[in-house]
Amino acid sequence: QVQLVESGGGLVQAGGSLRLSCAASGRTESTYRMAWFRQALGQERAFVAACTGSGCTTHYADSVKGRFIISRNNAKNTVYLQLNSLKPEDTAVYYCATGTTKMSDVSGEYPYWGQGTQVTVSS
């Protein structure tokens, strides 16, 4: 089992920035690929970004490419998501996920999830 705890969400004006953190504990050997998803009200959960391997090979959804940056601190078993140039459409609950070795952006491939952190961007 892997436990994931997200933090760092909040309310920010459009154009602002936030930094989300996701700390993993338990079977951290299962955190080869760590990803962020988000779910806006009334919408399905959508892939945002992923970091694969200790070197953090990155992969981004087109909607956040150039604005969001994913990174990881292996010593702390923590993955980060820097959210820049935020837009109202970025408003969602952001979830951290892990547990797959597949280069996947499909939520069903990830067995372990955090509780989510709310990001609200005002216009």
Side-chain angles (χ1 to χ4, degrees), residues 19-67:
R19 189 193 195 204
L20 308 183
S21 299
C22 172
S25 61
R27 292 188 58 187
T28 56
E29 63 270 22
S30 297
T31 60
Y32 176 73
R33 180 171 173 91
M34 297 191 75
W36 288 93
F37 289 77
R38 66 186 181 186
Q39 188 166 17
L41 196 62
Q43 297 185 20
E44 294 186 354
R45 197 167 294 189
F47 172 79
V48 175
C51 172
T52 303
S54 59
C56 195
T57 299
T58 58
H59 175 212
Y60 297 96
D62 287 343
S63 58
V64 307
K65 203 171 292 183
R67 299 189 298 122

Side-chain angles (χ1 to χ4, degrees), residues 1-7 21-25 31 33-39 45 79 93-99 107 110-118:
Q1 288 286 343
V2 178
Q3 294 77 43
L4 300 172
V5 178
E6 301 103 331
S7 60
S21 299
C22 172
S25 61
T31 60
R33 180 171 173 91
M34 297 191 75
W36 288 93
F37 289 77
R38 66 186 181 186
Q39 188 166 17
R45 197 167 294 189
V79 67
V93 178
Y94 284 70
Y95 296 92
C96 177
T98 193
S107 60
Y110 294 80
Y112 304 116
W113 291 83
Q115 81 287 354
T117 185
Q118 177 71 46

